[in-house]
Amino acid sequence: MLRFLVFFFLLQPILLEPALLEAGQQQSGSAPAPAQKTLEVTPDDLLKEQVVAADQRLSYGADPLQFGELRLPSGKGPFPVVVLVHGGCWADHLQGLDPRATTMDLLRPLAAALTGAGFATWNAEYRRNGNPGGGWPGTFQDLSSATDFLRTIAAKYQLDLQRVVAVGHSSGGQLALWLAARGKIAASSAIYTKNPLPLKGAVDIDGPPELANIQPLEEKFCGLPAITQFLGGTPSEQPARYHDATIASYLPTGVPHVLIGGALLGAVQPQIDAYAAAAKAAGENFRVIKLEGSNHFAMLSPHSPYWPIVRDTISSLLRP
């Protein structure tokens, strides 16, 4: 089995705890809950899936990593849009993965399946820690630019900018939730964006919602001090950066968001519980959906029994 630096220990079989919240129930039309045996899907499995090629590869900036893959559904638009944010422990370093592949590639099966379900998908690449200009503040600036770039291409590709959600996996899930909070970031912040594109919702797929409370566990998850390197220090050393980089600092955001959890829920339940309590106290529209028996990557495969749940959750946020 590949050892992969996106919460790599979560590849091991883990049986999950009971649902965290009442919102962990399946949505209407979802597949029946899988059996308790853990479904193991590896990065290699995702890379081997045959997917329809993107319709366009478009650059949103001058750096080679500032691009995205746009997939368009058949028929006439305007199309609702899913912005996809891949994981990778906030870093460019991968272990055990084909050197020709990137963590962005792991979201291609999900992107193609969502497009087949009627959504335009924008699978964004971006600079991470270890890339020139990545980390703080470049990663956040890239994802802001990638999301706001939809305004530039909306007319040409018939995109409905009133129905845009961000969906991220693993560390990309934390970043997707941050995108939902951009409208509340102070103008004094290095990652402030004037007039950010509003989102109708955000989905975190098996990623931590916050950074400060997960930072002490970073080496266990990633095999390196990923968050410390990403933000240039610990929470005590860089409190302003940790504040600006997490959705918890901006509650209530007014943007509905969902955590779809597999193995993560059993691994960091206290951290997720803490965020859920803060969101509830702030009156935020946040819920957790627990996928019994899913490892860290199974919910990314449209061939898994979890695909209807992922699809229906995203669809519910995109309704007019």
Side-chain angles (χ1 to χ4, degrees):
M1 180 181 296
L2 290 172
R3 308 295 289 183
F4 186 58
L5 290 180
V6 187
F7 293 96
F8 74 108
F9 83 103
L10 293 177
L11 286 174
Q12 308 307 316
I14 299 176
L15 293 180
L16 303 182
E17 300 297 327
L20 297 179
L21 301 174
E22 66 276 9
Q25 299 173 353
Q26 294 178 28
Q27 298 182 38
S28 175
S30 297
Q36 290 294 312
K37 183 177 179 181
T38 302
L39 175 61
E40 293 292 323
V41 173
T42 70
D44 248 356
D45 294 330
L46 294 170
L47 293 174
K48 291 175 182 176
E49 291 197 16
Q50 299 296 311
V51 300
V52 177
D55 293 283
Q56 298 289 334
R57 184 184 188 276
L58 303 170
S59 296
Y60 62 85
D63 190 273
L65 291 174
Q66 294 173 329
F67 72 92
E69 293 180 346
L70 181 68
R71 287 177 169 82
L72 300 169
S74 59
K76 184 178 179 181
F79 307 111
V81 186
V82 179
V83 177
L84 291 170
V85 184
H86 69 77
C89 276
W90 303 274
D92 72 326
H93 178 66
L94 302 175
Q95 179 179 324
L97 196 66
D98 186 325
R100 296 168 296 179
T102 72
T103 45
M104 178 188 186
D105 299 340
L106 302 182
L107 293 191
R108 285 189 175 126
L110 180 62
L114 287 169
T115 300
F119 311 118
T121 57
W122 175 233
N123 190 8
E125 184 57 282
Y126 57 96
R127 295 172 297 172
R128 288 147 281 148
N129 187 56
N131 301 130
W136 178 274
T139 293
F140 299 93
Q141 293 169 338
D142 281 7
L143 288 171
S144 289
S145 296
T147 303
D148 293 341
F149 182 70
L150 294 176
R151 287 182 170 132
T152 302
I153 62 174
K156 182 175 181 179
Y157 296 109
Q158 301 182 63
L159 306 180
D160 184 353
L161 297 186
Q162 303 303 309
R163 292 193 291 159
V164 180
V165 300
V167 177
H169 173 250
S170 195
S171 59
Q174 181 269 319
L175 293 167
L177 296 189
W178 174 82
L179 284 171
R182 282 195 304 149
K184 300 189 74 172
I185 296 175
S188 59
S189 173
I191 56 176
Y192 167 79
T193 302
K194 185 178 180 180
N195 190 28
L197 181 69
L199 300 181
K200 276 189 67 70
V203 180
D204 176 352
I205 301 178
D206 221 35
E210 300 187 67
L211 290 175
N213 68 0
I214 208 76
Q215 183 270 339
L217 303 175
E218 60 186 353
E219 298 223 28
K220 179 181 180 181
F221 291 163
C222 295
L224 74 163
I227 299 173
T228 301
Q229 292 176 355
F230 179 54
L231 294 183
T234 64
S236 62
E237 293 168 338
Q238 297 287 359
R241 293 184 181 183
Y242 279 82
H243 174 277
D244 292 359
T246 182
I247 189 173
S249 303
Y250 308 104
L251 296 174
T253 66
V255 179
H257 52 286
V258 184
L259 171 60
I260 300 178
L264 181 74
L265 297 193
V268 293
Q269 182 170 333
Q271 288 79 5
I272 293 175
D273 281 345
Y275 177 76
K280 181 178 180 180
E284 186 77 305
N285 185 350
F286 169 73
R287 59 198 175 102
V288 175
I289 296 174
K290 179 173 67 83
L291 302 183
E292 293 282 1
S294 175
N295 82 332
H296 192 49
F297 298 96
M299 64 277 284
L300 298 182
S301 173
H303 302 296
S304 82
Y306 309 107
W307 158 240
I309 301 172
V310 174
R311 178 200 61 209
D312 293 353
T313 301
I314 295 170
S315 178
S316 71
L317 296 172
L318 285 169
R319 290 173 186 149

